[in-house]
Amino acid sequence: MRAWVLLSAVLWYLTGVGWQRSSERNEKGFIYGKPGHPVKVYVKLHHSSPILVCMDFKLAEKETVDPTYLWIGPNEKPLTGNDRINITKTGKLMVKDFLEPLSGLYTCTLSYKTVKAETQEEKMVKQRYDFMIFVNPFAPGWKGTCNGSVDCEDITNHNILQARDRIEEFFRSQAYIFNHDFNKTLPAMHFVDHSFQIVRMDSCRPGFGKNEGLHSNCATCCVVCGPGTFSPDVDVTCQTCVSIHIYGAKSCP
């Protein structure tokens, strides 16, 4: 008797609620801007984003005079009046219960004064910081399967292999029982060693895909399909569709 089992698993390793280059993240988990370079941030679906700071590391070490902060969201929309978005007086932003439509470019403009020591002349300086926020489909409760461990991939692999061994042992024991304990008139049951296989399937949920070129710092992540692309099934590729202007599209109109 040849037994075949197909187990589908998406194996991920991400630390905390988002992933980004460590050079823009401090020990408190704040994500700082980088002048002239968008900072990519990946947020779990239905989780809160990391705290984005409207400032870079270098400037944060200095004292700024009369700073003001202006945040603009995707499609250049103001972020006021949105219950999911929290902006502090010190220019820090966090998005709660992150969903696909919240993905996109978040821009903050920091304005502050500089004063020349010799003349006491004041000058207004403006600096722009861009954050590209994407969502990945970590379902609620996924972290619980890892028992608090940060290495979800190893634990998931171990659990799958353990399941394989138990299923293989089940068929082997059933073959023994049929051959020795049942009426000999029953057809013989045989288990062929090494006939049991596990096939790993790489897949993403509809509306998500993988793109190593666009998301090189999170190449194995299933990331929400951006405008101009869609994914109708569990494939790992976001297909092109120029008429789409939203994130997470599952069909091409």
Side-chain angles (χ1 to χ4, degrees):
M1 179 178 181
R2 184 174 294 270
W4 299 85
V5 173
L6 183 65
L7 299 179
S8 175
V10 180
L11 307 180
W12 303 44
Y13 168 60
L14 294 177
T15 303
V17 296
W19 195 98
Q20 56 288 313
R21 294 178 182 177
S22 59
S23 60
E24 286 93 38
R25 183 172 188 149
N26 74 350
E27 65 276 3
K28 295 181 180 179
F30 294 169
I31 309 300
Y32 285 81
K34 192 173 182 180
H37 299 277
V39 177
K40 292 184 179 180
V41 183
Y42 300 86
V43 184
K44 296 179 184 178
L45 191 64
H46 298 297
H47 284 66
S48 295
S49 74
I51 296 175
L52 309 182
V53 182
C54 187
M55 195 172 288
D56 55 83
F57 268 137
K58 185 177 180 180
L59 191 58
E61 295 175 349
K62 303 177 181 179
E63 183 178 356
T64 54
V65 180
D66 297 335
T68 60
Y69 312 90
L70 176 63
W71 280 96
I72 300 296
N75 301 318
E76 299 185 355
K77 293 181 179 179
L79 296 177
T80 56
N82 191 325
D83 294 337
R84 281 196 168 92
I85 296 176
N86 180 34
I87 301 176
T88 69
K89 294 181 179 180
T90 56
K92 297 179 179 67
L93 178 144
M94 183 181 72
V95 185
K96 298 178 290 185
D97 190 21
F98 205 89
L99 300 174
E100 293 97 323
L102 296 172
S103 300
L105 176 64
Y106 288 73
T107 297
C108 181
T109 300
L110 166 64
S111 302
Y112 62 97
K113 294 179 181 178
T114 60
V115 182
K116 286 187 177 181
E118 300 84 0
T119 63
Q120 295 299 304
E121 179 185 356
E122 294 185 354
K123 180 182 178 181
M124 183 62 68
V125 179
K126 291 188 177 182
Q127 179 63 59
R128 169 174 166 162
Y129 301 99
D130 292 337
F131 300 86
M132 284 297 303
I133 305 183
F134 303 94
V135 61
N136 69 64
F138 261 78
W142 171 269
K143 292 169 65 177
T145 65
C146 297
N147 298 321
S149 170
V150 297
D151 203 340
C152 293
E153 182 169 345
D154 279 354
I155 290 180
T156 305
N157 280 331
H158 172 75
N159 291 341
I160 291 175
L161 293 176
Q162 191 175 54
R164 178 202 63 186
D165 293 341
R166 290 181 178 179
I167 295 172
E168 186 176 273
E169 180 57 31
F170 167 80
F171 282 109
R172 184 177 284 108
S173 62
Q174 291 301 306
Y176 180 88
I177 293 173
F178 266 82
N179 292 335
H180 294 82
D181 297 341
F182 279 81
N183 192 312
K184 296 298 183 181
T185 60
L186 292 176
M189 179 179 181
H190 301 282
F191 178 79
V192 180
D193 286 335
H194 308 298
S195 63
F196 183 79
Q197 295 184 3
I198 290 180
V199 179
R200 174 176 174 170
M201 295 187 64
D202 196 10
S203 63
C204 296
R205 63 185 293 176
F208 293 78
K210 298 182 180 183
N211 188 325
E212 185 175 354
L214 181 61
H215 306 292
S216 58
N217 51 353
C218 198
T220 61
C221 301
C222 289
V223 180
V224 63
C225 296
T229 63
F230 75 105
S231 178
D233 47 34
V234 294
D235 196 6
V236 296
T237 304
C238 294
Q239 304 175 32
T240 301
C241 180
V242 295
S243 60
I244 293 175
H245 304 287
I246 63 172
Y247 283 86
K250 301 177 180 64
S251 61
C252 183

